[in-house]
Amino acid sequence: ADFVKIAHPDCAFREAAEEACRNIGTMVEKLNTDVQLCQSLRQLLADKAVMDSLDPETRRVAELFMFDFEISGIHLDEEKRRKAVNLNIRILDLCNEFLAGTHLPNKIDQHILPEHIRYNFTTDGNYLQVAGLHADCPDDLVREAAYKIFLYPNAEQLSRLEELLASRNSLAQLVGYSTFAHRALQGTMAKNPETVTQFLEKLSDQLSQRTQKDFEMMTKMKMKLKPQNSKLMPWDHPYYSGVLRAERYNIDPGLYCPFFSLGACMEGLNSLFSRLLGISLYAEQTQRGEVWSEDIRKLAVVHENEGLLGYIYCDFFQRPNKPHQDCHFTVRGGRLREDGEYQLPVVVLMLSLPHSTRNAPTLLSPGMMENLFHEMGHAMHSMLGRTRYQHVTGTRCPTDFAEVPSILMEYFANDYRVVNQFARHYKTGQPLPKNMVSRLCESKKLCASADMQLQVFYAVLDQIYHGKHPLKRSTTEILKETQEKFYGLPYVPNTAWQLRFSHLVGYGAKYYSYLMSRAVASMVWKQCFAQDPFDRAMGERYRREMLAHGGGKEPILMVQGMLQKSPSVEDFVDALVSDLDQDFETFIMDS
């Protein structure tokens, strides 16, 4: 239902799925406040003999269910429990309203803007609609106008955010936590907000000089192109970092696309999974009515000894009303059934690739190719999870671990030994030259410190918003202060970027997860696969220690099993920073 409500081409199906999601959500909310059910579980958890007889995964699932009960305030008296339920419902509504508000365009009287830039925006009578930041537009004035108009504070959205943060804090305190962040981080790899803050502050310290150099490079480029107005502003960062990459490395996507046909990329994934994990992907015929659009492809995932592991539906192509987002959905989770058979997982991978044309197959840019590998990382997590319960199947694990398998696949996608297996020109069959792969990889490191510093700023902001309440200042004053301390480019008066921060809904207090998952993926890559990306023994260890458990084992224990050591906060930071160090030597040699 979660998938159908956003991706089905038929509006009636989308509405029915929305209704199903609401009904299931309400039912789960009722079960989470069922006192008899909770008492039964509490008796089980208190019975040491019974607990000792259970396997570790069953114990963990029992504890996770208890955690769900407590979060819903089951241990409270009836009045407080009712208050917890009402807060939960209110938070759900506020999340939906806030999320809708993050995407709404802002309007401005068109006469306020200079005539020569108006055509960049949608006209609505006498008004212009600004629906985004226009970050890639070469005209500085367009980017500045878009930034100031799109991020202009909306009073309703501001009060929604304030109420959402206050309600989350009230709920957390009602059920026994000092802040919402303490509640949200229970069971994660980081475990608590103190560790997250330590991680982000140490990372920021390590990045600050590198980020300064990146900003200096961007400023010089801006000076060269716009000498009359060379101060670097927040709307310049994405644009000038892109200009620098293009100028220094000549990485026009048009040069790469012919080597990355969809067929070649899928062959590359098939070959990699086969050598690393003994797994092959086979196209299967679908039955009438099985798929929601005729361009969906169904893949059977088959292991050389174990047979069929599950199915992946590939919803890869653009179509009207399909959201432009790359994502992975679990349609059916894996679990051990009562009859001893294993229920096979079924997932959907959704991308927004162009259709093939009469003259060429579907061709992917390097970014699309990397996204395909990333989403396939999620799919393999789902396919190879062999948990007893659906509650912890595949990607249903703590947020700061969930991105590890997908980000790890990006490292494979950027390794010449892997790319060389499949990147062939669709017309001539010529392999992608090695220096083109080197240029692409080196270009990604250019200005990467500033990009990571921006992510640190977002993650710190998220922690402060979900930390101690009442907040010491307004959300906008906190934004200004945090931006100046953890990013470095000036805050622009009368803007409120936090009102567009859609991740506050799904990743409340957990935005740091992207950075921590990348750190773990980097450590796994360097220690286990950098020497030989096709090492079968390492592939088997990766499956056994990390992928097989889904969320049925504590994430840090999975990481320890893979790395054969317990990483510290410093290890996480070092892994991220070492990825940034330029490796010009190989680039110069290849050139």
Side-chain angles (χ1 to χ4, degrees):
D2 264 333
F3 170 68
V4 172
K5 77 175 182 185
I6 72 156
H8 202 287
D10 184 333
C11 180
F13 269 91
R14 293 199 299 272
E15 285 172 9
E18 184 88 59
E19 180 67 17
C21 283
R22 247 198 313 275
N23 292 342
I24 294 165
T26 308
M27 182 186 169
V28 169
E29 213 41 71
K30 280 186 182 153
L31 288 171
N32 280 342
T33 50
D34 185 313
V35 177
Q36 272 183 299
L37 208 53
C38 177
Q39 280 169 350
S40 169
L41 181 63
R42 191 172 273 137
Q43 282 165 3
L44 174 96
L45 288 167
D47 190 326
K48 190 177 180 315
V50 175
M51 284 300 280
D52 289 346
S53 72
L54 300 177
D55 61 274
E57 189 193 317
T58 302
R59 279 203 299 274
R60 180 164 167 81
V61 170
E63 285 159 4
L64 288 171
F65 277 137
M66 198 66 219
F67 177 56
D68 284 345
F69 277 129
E70 286 172 354
I71 272 180
S72 300
I74 196 116
H75 52 296
L76 305 172
D77 61 46
E78 203 170 331
E79 191 190 332
K80 283 182 176 167
R81 196 160 64 240
R82 202 165 39 245
K83 192 178 174 187
V85 170
N86 291 337
L87 273 169
N88 265 314
I89 292 166
R90 182 67 188 133
I91 287 167
L92 207 57
D93 289 342
L94 285 166
C95 282
N96 290 331
E97 289 168 22
F98 180 78
L99 202 52
T102 60
H103 304 299
L104 282 181
N106 270 345
K107 277 185 187 177
I108 186 167
D109 187 322
Q110 61 175 324
H111 300 103
I112 293 172
L113 288 186
E115 202 169 332
H116 71 281
I117 69 164
R118 289 177 199 165
Y119 73 91
N120 289 279
F121 308 107
T122 313
T123 312
D124 180 5
N126 288 328
Y127 291 92
L128 292 173
Q129 281 203 353
V130 181
L133 292 173
H134 292 252
D136 298 325
C137 181
D139 189 328
D140 284 12
L141 193 57
V142 172
R143 292 196 314 279
E144 179 179 349
Y147 190 93
K148 289 178 173 174
I149 299 164
F150 188 61
L151 299 183
Y152 189 79
N154 171 303
E156 277 178 46
Q157 183 75 339
L158 190 59
S159 74
R160 272 182 215 123
L161 176 61
E162 285 166 355
E163 192 187 341
L164 174 61
L165 297 176
S167 301
R168 279 176 167 174
N169 181 70
S170 299
L171 180 64
Q173 292 193 329
L174 187 64
V175 300
Y177 292 90
S178 54
T179 69
F180 179 80
H182 282 91
R183 180 198 136 171
L185 297 180
Q186 183 116 348
T188 60
M189 202 152 46
K191 290 192 163 61
N192 56 57
E194 291 74 22
T195 305
V196 173
T197 301
Q198 191 190 5
F199 166 63
L200 294 171
E201 286 179 350
K202 287 193 172 191
L203 179 56
S204 190
D205 289 346
Q206 290 279 328
L207 289 174
S208 63
Q209 281 185 304
R210 288 175 164 85
T211 301
Q212 235 15 72
K213 283 181 184 162
D214 285 355
F215 286 153
E216 281 162 21
M217 276 196 294
M218 291 179 216
T219 304
K220 276 183 191 160
M221 179 55 80
K222 189 175 181 183
M223 246 171 184
K224 190 169 126 183
L225 298 177
K226 296 279 181 326
Q228 70 282 11
N229 184 13
S230 61
K231 186 178 180 190
L232 197 68
M233 297 301 284
W235 54 80
D236 293 324
H237 172 165
Y239 176 70
Y240 284 107
S241 56
V243 169
L244 281 163
R245 285 180 193 121
E247 188 194 64
R248 192 171 291 187
Y249 292 106
N250 184 23
I251 46 154
D252 173 12
L255 297 171
Y256 287 85
C257 290
F259 294 92
F260 294 137
S261 70
L262 179 57
C265 294
M266 293 305 290
E267 271 309 310
L269 284 162
N270 200 20
S271 158
L272 176 64
F273 293 148
S274 170
R275 292 171 71 175
L276 209 53
L277 298 157
I279 283 168
S280 299
L281 308 172
Y282 294 103
E284 280 221 350
Q285 208 55 48
T286 54
Q287 294 178 8
R288 189 160 172 255
E290 185 178 347
V291 291
W292 49 99
S293 178
E294 66 277 5
D295 55 10
I296 311 295
R297 298 289 171 265
K298 182 183 182 182
L299 298 178
V301 181
V302 180
H303 188 271
E304 59 192 20
N305 301 324
E306 298 161 38
L308 183 63
L309 296 178
Y311 291 104
I312 302 170
Y313 287 92
C314 302
D315 186 353
F316 281 175
F317 301 104
Q318 295 165 352
R319 64 173 172 269
N321 293 325
K322 180 180 167 182
H324 276 273
Q325 59 194 77
D326 298 343
C327 37
H328 159 276
F329 290 89
T330 302
V331 172
R332 184 174 74 188
R335 70 180 177 107
L336 192 62
R337 294 204 312 238
E338 290 77 4
D339 61 7
E341 290 289 304
Y342 200 78
Q343 173 175 295
L344 298 179
V346 176
V347 303
V348 175
L349 287 193
M350 192 166 91
L351 303 174
S352 294
L353 303 179
H355 281 276
S356 56
T357 63
R358 197 179 305 150
N359 304 321
T362 292
L363 299 176
L364 280 65
S365 67
M368 289 172 181
M369 183 272 283
E370 193 177 273
N371 284 354
L372 171 64
F373 271 64
H374 178 102
E375 296 305 330
M376 266 296 178
H378 285 309
M380 282 302 128
H381 199 181
S382 290
M383 293 297 113
L384 292 169
R386 279 299 173 266
T387 52
R388 190 170 168 182
Y389 304 98
Q390 268 192 107
H391 194 65
V392 289
T393 184
T395 54
R396 295 188 70 174
C397 57
T399 313
D400 55 7
F401 183 77
E403 291 296 321
V404 173
S406 51
I407 293 173
L408 181 61
M409 283 299 291
E410 294 175 22
Y411 286 86
F412 284 97
N414 285 295
D415 188 281
Y416 182 70
R417 294 161 296 181
V418 176
V419 175
N420 188 41
Q421 297 290 309
F422 69 89
R424 298 281 179 278
H425 197 288
Y426 76 98
K427 279 182 178 167
T428 65
Q430 173 206 353
L432 182 65
K434 188 172 183 181
N435 69 339
M436 281 180 73
V437 179
S438 304
R439 281 210 309 265
L440 191 61
C441 295
E442 289 303 318
S443 74
K444 286 177 185 170
K445 294 177 183 174
L446 194 65
C447 301
S449 301
D451 295 346
M452 195 179 284
Q453 188 79 58
L454 183 61
Q455 295 301 313
V456 171
F457 154 48
Y458 294 161
V460 171
L461 188 66
D462 173 43
Q463 287 300 307
I464 296 171
Y465 283 169
H466 291 104
K468 198 167 169 15
H469 274 245
L471 296 171
K472 291 197 177 91
R473 291 172 206 51
S474 74
T475 58
T476 305
E477 284 165 336
I478 290 168
L479 172 87
K480 176 179 188 291
E481 198 176 283
T482 312
Q483 181 167 330
E484 283 161 6
K485 185 177 174 186
F486 285 96
Y487 181 36
L489 293 185
Y491 165 78
V492 179
N494 296 317
T495 63
W497 179 83
Q498 77 276 19
L499 304 183
R500 301 290 184 182
F501 193 4
S502 56
H503 283 81
L504 288 174
V505 171
Y507 283 77
K510 295 182 187 176
Y511 191 82
Y512 76 93
S513 298
Y514 288 115
L515 288 165
M516 197 165 270
S517 285
R518 182 164 291 282
V520 173
S522 170
M523 288 152 95
V524 171
W525 170 258
K526 290 186 192 104
Q527 195 173 312
C528 308
F529 297 111
Q531 214 171 341
D532 175 7
F534 306 110
D535 185 331
R536 181 65 185 267
M538 279 300 174
E540 292 297 343
R541 181 158 117 197
Y542 175 51
R543 178 184 179 183
R544 188 177 61 246
E545 296 292 345
M546 290 182 103
L547 297 178
H549 304 288
K553 192 174 176 181
E554 266 197 70
I556 203 70
L557 296 177
M558 294 190 263
V559 176
Q560 283 169 13
M562 190 64 200
L563 300 174
Q564 300 188 329
K565 69 164 192 174
S566 183
S568 63
V569 167
E570 288 75 15
D571 291 330
F572 289 142
V573 171
D574 290 345
L576 288 170
V577 172
S578 68
D579 276 355
L580 299 171
D581 290 330
Q582 299 281 4
D583 185 15
F584 285 119
E585 198 183 333
T586 57
F587 169 57
I588 291 160
M589 276 163 50
D590 291 332
S591 299

